[in-house]
Amino acid sequence: MLTPSSRIHAVIGSEFARLSQNLPDRGIEGSPAQAIAYALRLLRERDSRGEDLLREQFNQLSVLLASIKSIASKSAVDIEDELVELEVYQNEVDEDARLPTLEALWRNSLSKTEDIVSKIKGSSAVHPSRKEDLLHLLVDFESADLLNQVGPDADAVDGFENVRISRGKLSHYLRDRFNDPTIEVTFLESLSGGFGKETTLFGSTGGSLNGEFVIRREISDTAASHNDCHDLTREYELIKVLRKIGYLSPEVLWLDTEHRLLPGGHFIVMRRSKGRLGGSIFGATTDIPETLTDVLARHAARLHTLPVLSELGELTESINFERWEMSRRENVERYLRDWYRYWRSETHSPSPALAALYGWLFDHLPERPGKPALIHGDLGFHNILLEGNELSVILDWEYAHIGDPAEELAYVQLTTGAGIDWDKFMTCYLAAGGEPVDQKTLRFFQVWAHVRNASAANIVFAGFANGKANDLKLNVLPYMHIPNFICAAQALIRQE
């Protein structure tokens, strides 16, 4: 599926508005920044509603011409020939006319209208008051027409700029929440990273809120996915429980599902955790201390040997009382089939390749004895913070579910790559209470990891293409990531 150009235009203006915050000539009349901003808005409007806009312009011109004709006839000015020519152009504005044709007709119609106005203006038979009336009609028509071409106000492109978090909006929100006028946002920074959520770092001073914090927000007014813990209300509850039992999860402060003063998706606010990211979903981007192998293995084993967390209750389709009682295989099969149904039922880009990959997975489900466990589902360098030689926190629990610990181990092996010694990792994992797993099972779950990531990317991109989400980075998914995911899954299958 090609990205609709209307979606790119609809978002790129907002992305430039964010970047322009750092430009020295921002807001200066006639500046390059201003010129680019308007050019982007014009492109967006032309692409998204160009033909409809021109037909609307022709309708408005017909109304104007009726007034001009009345003024001319009352002043005994003959403009019949010019009106006949204009009528010819009007008759060519049919349903099948495309944008270039309509634009040419529009330019010619305006040129003919100019000729008519010049004729009336130069006639001594027209009373000055009528000329003034005509002037007002023309100014109103033309100014409205030009403004309409640019579209909505720059601060409200598709309603998107209204949902951007700014220092002023955030300060106002925090003062209102804490009823504390002393609160001031000292800095605000959008963080790059995953495609499922929008992450913003900010600092705050004041009587009620001091320090550095992170806002994790849905990319739209609905969650990117409805399974697992993608809904922030569910992720929030899970993180709270994990934090309470002493597991390495962020310190969440509050959840906001009303966001009256910060329009947009639901969000949680958490205290900024110490440390640095170890890398991306594709591997390490920094030197990984040898001790991390042991630390990561121990924390994975601890997560997989946690007792039944009844505190979570019926949290999601994949975290509930029934899932704790099911076998590992039953959990895996249910989880994969839920994902398949979800992908098929959601608005998505057609993908015969993904359908075939799901078929392979259902035909090769592993049979492993043992109890299911809570797994993070996305454990890798991209979701852990390192502080010195220690792991300080595990981030982003949106893929958490009850399943086979082998799924987690496969994902760790896949995302850490050569960053850690796998044999050493497994030795530490087993010593900390984890169970062994064979390479064939790991390969199955690595195929699944790629299929799941491709499915999520497919759905999220479809949301962007259909206007559900307005983050321009989502447009890269079908061109940079999905091919990598499905080809990597294919390569793993070929190893069978």
Side-chain angles (χ1 to χ4, degrees):
M1 172 182 174
L2 296 176
T3 306
S5 56
S6 59
R7 291 303 305 138
I8 298 176
H9 289 320
V11 180
I12 198 170
S14 296
E15 291 292 326
F16 177 77
R18 179 168 59 176
L19 292 173
S20 69
Q21 300 295 317
N22 300 318
L23 297 178
D25 59 355
R26 170 179 170 267
I28 298 176
E29 288 294 320
S31 67
Q34 184 189 63
I36 292 171
Y38 270 80
L40 291 172
R41 291 167 64 191
L42 285 165
L43 281 172
R44 181 206 64 202
E45 292 303 307
R46 183 183 189 279
D47 188 88
S48 64
R49 61 189 186 104
E51 293 175 6
D52 291 339
L53 177 60
L54 279 165
R55 289 191 174 91
E56 179 184 338
Q57 288 174 310
F58 276 109
N59 290 334
Q60 294 299 321
L61 180 59
S62 294
V63 175
L64 175 67
L65 288 172
S67 298
I68 293 175
K69 184 177 181 180
S70 174
I71 290 173
S73 62
K74 290 178 180 177
S75 304
V77 177
D78 183 11
I79 57 171
E80 283 302 315
D81 291 340
E82 290 83 356
L83 287 173
V84 168
E85 285 189 72
L86 266 171
E87 188 175 347
V88 170
Y89 288 117
Q90 295 282 79
N91 290 337
E92 293 185 38
V93 183
D94 56 36
E95 304 182 330
D96 299 324
R98 309 314 297 169
L99 188 56
T101 300
L102 290 171
E103 286 180 314
L105 290 172
W106 178 248
R107 286 192 296 271
N108 288 331
S109 294
L110 285 182
S111 178
K112 293 298 179 185
T113 303
E114 178 183 322
D115 291 342
I116 291 174
V117 172
S118 296
K119 192 171 185 178
I120 294 175
K121 175 180 172 292
S123 173
S124 58
V126 182
H127 193 277
S129 64
R130 293 193 182 279
K131 291 182 179 180
E132 188 171 321
D133 290 340
L134 178 60
L135 180 149
H136 293 311
L137 285 172
L138 293 167
V139 170
D140 289 345
F141 166 80
E142 196 162 321
S143 59
D145 173 59
L146 293 172
L147 289 173
N148 196 27
Q149 291 180 48
V150 180
D153 184 82
D155 292 330
V157 176
D158 288 330
F160 189 43
E161 281 306 305
N162 284 335
V163 305
R164 285 285 190 199
I165 297 175
S166 66
R167 285 178 62 177
K169 288 180 182 178
L170 184 55
S171 293
H172 182 49
Y173 165 79
L174 294 172
R175 291 167 191 157
D176 179 80
R177 178 177 181 83
F178 290 96
N179 192 25
D180 182 353
T182 69
I183 291 178
E184 187 68 41
V185 174
T186 56
F187 72 89
L188 187 71
E189 179 184 351
S190 293
L191 301 180
S192 60
F195 293 88
K197 300 290 187 294
E198 175 188 281
T199 306
T200 305
L201 174 67
F202 73 93
S204 173
T205 60
S208 304
L209 195 69
N210 280 284
E212 295 185 0
F213 308 90
V214 173
I215 298 175
R216 183 165 160 79
R217 185 164 71 155
E218 305 283 8
I219 58 176
S220 65
D221 58 358
T222 57
S225 297
H226 300 292
N227 54 355
D228 296 337
C229 291
H230 284 83
D231 185 327
L232 274 177
T233 60
R234 297 168 178 174
E235 186 178 5
Y236 175 74
E237 293 301 324
L238 174 64
I239 293 174
K240 281 202 306 180
V241 169
L242 291 170
R243 183 86 180 180
K244 185 176 180 180
I245 65 174
Y247 198 74
L248 288 181
S249 56
E251 181 186 352
V252 290
L253 301 179
W254 72 86
L255 165 73
D256 195 316
T257 58
E258 296 181 359
H259 30 85
R260 175 175 53 87
L261 298 178
L262 283 181
H266 299 343
F267 62 88
I268 56 177
V269 177
M270 61 190 83
R271 194 170 295 279
R272 183 183 188 182
S273 301
K274 296 180 180 179
R276 71 191 191 284
L277 280 174
S280 72
I281 192 172
F282 300 109
T285 56
T286 185
D287 292 333
I288 303 300
E290 290 185 13
T291 54
L292 180 62
T293 299
D294 175 66
V295 172
L296 185 58
R298 284 191 286 107
H299 283 293
R302 186 188 171 203
L303 178 63
H304 300 159
T305 54
L306 287 174
V308 173
L309 297 177
S310 57
E311 306 99 306
L312 295 175
E314 301 287 320
L315 186 64
T316 70
E317 291 181 359
S318 56
I319 301 179
N320 53 57
F321 294 118
E322 181 187 12
R323 292 299 181 101
W324 290 111
E325 299 298 324
M326 292 168 61
S327 69
R328 286 175 174 174
R329 188 187 189 284
E330 289 172 330
N331 263 293
V332 171
E333 181 173 11
R334 178 81 67 85
Y335 185 62
L336 267 61
R337 291 198 182 279
D338 286 346
W339 256 99
Y340 178 68
R341 282 193 292 269
Y342 170 66
W343 172 65
R344 292 276 290 166
S345 63
E346 284 289 301
T347 300
H348 67 279
S349 301
S351 175
L354 264 180
L357 287 167
Y358 271 106
W360 183 91
L361 289 165
F362 295 142
D363 289 340
H364 293 80
L365 291 166
E367 188 74 59
R368 289 210 334 135
K371 294 186 185 239
L374 178 68
I375 63 178
H376 178 277
D378 197 16
L379 191 57
F381 288 136
H382 57 300
N383 279 329
I384 60 176
L385 292 184
L386 309 175
E387 187 177 17
N389 292 334
E390 290 293 325
L391 190 160
S392 64
V393 71
I394 298 175
L395 304 170
D396 298 358
W397 290 80
E398 59 189 357
Y399 281 111
H401 61 280
I402 297 170
D404 188 335
E407 180 183 347
E408 191 100 274
L409 298 178
Y411 202 76
V412 172
Q413 186 186 60
L414 187 67
T415 59
T416 57
I420 63 174
D421 182 322
W422 185 251
D423 290 337
K424 182 179 179 183
F425 176 91
M426 284 305 300
T427 299
C428 296
Y429 179 78
L430 296 175
E435 298 178 15
V437 59
D438 63 89
Q439 195 59 44
K440 182 178 180 181
T441 301
L442 289 176
R443 187 163 56 246
F444 169 87
F445 282 114
Q446 286 168 1
V447 172
W448 162 237
H450 290 306
V451 171
R452 185 202 67 186
N453 289 341
S455 301
N458 181 298
I459 293 169
V460 171
F461 168 71
F464 170 81
N466 292 323
K468 183 179 178 182
N470 283 313
D471 194 330
L472 193 60
K473 68 182 178 183
L474 303 182
N475 186 53
V476 309
L477 290 171
Y479 313 112
M480 291 180 62
H481 296 289
I482 293 178
N484 285 338
F485 291 141
I486 61 177
C487 288
Q490 178 192 49
L492 286 166
I493 291 172
R494 281 178 170 164
Q495 294 178 18
E496 284 285 306

